[in-house]
Amino acid sequence: MSGKIWYRLGLPGILAIFLVWSMVAVSAQEVPDLTGAWEAISVDTYISSDGFLDQTSYQGPFQIMTQEGRAFAGEETYYDSETGENVTHFFPGVVSPDGKTYLKDETGSGISFGELVSEDELYNYMLVSEPGLMAIVSHMGKEGSVPAPEGQVPDVTGVWNLTHTRSSGVSTSGLLTINEQQGRIWSGQEQISDDDGTMIDLPIVGTVGESGRVYGVTQNGAFMFGSMTNDAAIESGLVIPGDTDGTLVIERWLTRNETPIPESESMYPDITGEWTIEDRKVIENGTITDEGPLSEEWMSYANMTGRFVTATRHSGEVKGSPEIESSVIFLSPDEAVLTNAQSALVMYHIIDNSTMEAVVNRKDGKSILNLDLLKRKAD
């Protein structure tokens, strides 16, 4: 890896919500130190118009300049192929409570995530739905580090049975055919009935990691957050930010080889009720600001059915300000994701019965993350 200016695909209109899953156990007390300069070891890309590409020379390093606990802020430079210019911008991020994930935000639309091998090595993943489907996997290391041997990545090619279940209990079925997989990137086509009986037929691209995390994005901008329960079943949530018909979150199972949907033993915590925001950290423009407790903003949760919940954000800052209703789906007993008609994306981490954390991206075109500590209101 040389010291030259490194290039990355120009990605106009991309919000990168960066989820990084650990391949090693990290205790809840340990916070990985991500500060320092990172550089690409390899970059694999899939673009719907061009197929699979090796674009290692397109990927640039990024610098995480400051970290306070689990909040961090950095700066990145990349080449915008549309303008022909190098672009430098700040990005905010948050490490999850268990130290296995972090989220990183940029402006636009899309998601990205990955696997953390150590404090010195990680895999970055990015999924984009427009203007064309694209997946990028960047294997990165801190400057001067030596990468670990790469592990076995699950083979997800083949035909998968799809089952979608909505909060109303209505289920529909279809097929996902994964035609190609190179390394950690796969592409395919899904066909499934909508709840009104119309057939949805869309291309989809995604990624799979050594940990069994399987994610995807369809051409209409729906994101799949999933994990393999075994080599023939994937449990996931489908999140559709800004969906015009109100179907914002869907439970999504994929099975193959005549495997039935496994019986779920998960018990999702009851989060219904009102929650105060006891602390808020705002990460933007390379800085981290602690705003402390908020007295004029709070959350409430209701109508919990299985893994589905309705959330409402309340604000008393402006008299008569509208309450914003959103949909939440649990991905696991300690992790949930929220979206709404305004296309906001929020990742929840359930700490215990009375404590949650929310990493809030209002998806308003600004590169800002809020890290909120929520406490259940006493009865």
Side-chain angles (χ1 to χ4, degrees):
M1 291 174 282
S2 68
K4 66 180 182 180
I5 289 288
W6 290 13
Y7 298 100
R8 187 177 71 177
L9 279 177
L11 302 175
I14 291 175
L15 157 74
I17 295 182
F18 216 104
L19 306 175
V20 180
W21 271 267
S22 177
M23 295 159 54
V24 293
V26 180
S27 73
Q29 288 72 38
E30 288 184 280
V31 179
D33 179 8
L34 302 179
T35 57
W38 296 73
E39 56 187 3
I41 298 168
S42 65
V43 177
D44 297 315
T45 301
Y46 175 87
I47 303 174
S48 57
S49 58
D50 300 315
F52 294 92
L53 303 169
D54 178 357
Q55 294 187 324
T56 304
S57 62
Y58 281 49
Q59 176 68 52
F62 64 87
Q63 173 83 22
I64 297 179
M65 302 177 299
T66 184
Q67 182 172 346
E68 296 181 10
R70 293 186 290 101
F72 62 86
E75 183 180 71
E76 181 177 15
T77 299
Y78 62 91
Y79 177 73
D80 186 331
S81 60
E82 288 197 347
T83 64
E85 298 179 351
N86 291 326
V87 176
T88 299
H89 68 95
F90 294 113
F91 60 81
V94 176
V95 178
S96 65
D98 60 9
K100 296 180 180 179
T101 72
Y102 72 74
L103 292 86
K104 172 178 170 286
D105 174 43
E106 299 173 17
T107 58
S109 63
I111 63 171
S112 54
F113 48 92
E115 293 176 311
L116 181 62
V117 180
S118 69
E119 290 185 342
D120 299 327
E121 183 181 356
L122 56 82
Y123 287 88
N124 295 343
Y125 303 77
M126 181 177 288
L127 294 175
V128 179
S129 62
E130 55 184 27
L133 288 178
M134 178 165 51
I136 303 173
V137 177
S138 302
H139 184 191
M140 300 186 73
K142 283 187 179 178
E143 289 184 350
S145 64
V146 178
E150 186 167 357
Q152 183 67 37
V153 176
D155 180 0
V156 295
T157 56
V159 178
W160 295 79
N161 298 306
L162 280 180
T163 303
H164 283 184
T165 303
R166 292 156 175 78
S167 59
S168 63
V170 174
S171 293
T172 57
S173 59
L175 295 175
L176 167 60
T177 303
I178 298 179
N179 300 306
E180 297 179 283
Q181 179 180 345
Q182 288 192 18
R184 296 166 182 255
I185 302 176
W186 53 266
S187 67
Q189 191 82 13
E190 70 173 56
Q191 299 171 311
I192 190 165
S193 298
D194 204 353
D195 55 353
D196 61 3
T198 59
M199 181 60 68
I200 299 172
D201 190 347
L202 291 171
I204 180 172
V205 299
T207 62
V208 59
E210 295 169 36
S211 64
R213 295 275 187 168
V214 182
Y215 287 78
V217 60
T218 64
Q219 189 170 282
N220 66 345
F223 297 105
M224 179 180 78
F225 298 79
S227 59
M228 301 186 76
T229 60
N230 55 57
D231 62 2
I234 300 171
E235 181 179 14
S236 68
L238 190 69
V239 179
I240 316 169
D243 187 37
T244 55
D245 71 4
T247 306
L248 296 166
V249 293
I250 295 173
E251 180 185 90
R252 176 179 169 102
W253 274 97
L254 296 82
T255 58
R256 60 181 174 182
N257 302 331
E258 300 182 355
T259 300
I261 295 176
E263 290 291 334
S264 177
E265 298 180 358
S266 297
M267 297 291 292
Y268 302 105
D270 183 359
I271 63 171
T272 57
E274 292 194 337
W275 295 68
T276 60
I277 301 175
E278 295 294 304
D279 185 65
R280 169 171 290 170
K281 286 182 171 62
V282 179
I283 313 161
E284 64 174 324
N285 296 329
T287 63
I288 303 169
T289 304
D290 193 339
E291 293 192 348
L294 303 183
S295 59
E296 296 296 324
E297 185 177 338
W298 69 99
M299 295 294 299
S300 64
Y301 305 89
N303 306 321
M304 186 167 182
T305 305
R307 65 174 68 200
F308 298 98
V309 189
T310 300
T312 304
R313 183 172 71 88
H314 309 269
S315 177
E317 293 180 356
V318 180
K319 187 175 181 180
S321 61
E323 297 181 337
I324 300 174
E325 189 170 289
S326 306
S327 296
V328 177
I329 185 169
F330 275 89
L331 305 176
S332 69
D334 59 4
E335 186 177 65
V337 64
L338 171 153
T339 193
N340 55 32
Q342 289 75 37
S343 299
L345 283 167
V346 179
M347 184 64 69
Y348 286 97
H349 297 284
I350 315 303
I351 309 301
D352 56 41
N353 186 53
S354 61
T355 309
M356 297 191 296
E357 285 194 346
V359 183
V360 182
N361 190 308
R362 302 203 187 283
K363 210 173 177 184
D364 55 3
K366 300 176 182 178
S367 185
I368 302 173
L369 286 180
N370 292 343
L371 172 58
D372 289 350
L373 175 66
L374 288 81
K375 290 285 189 178
R376 189 188 295 271
K377 281 189 178 181
D379 293 333

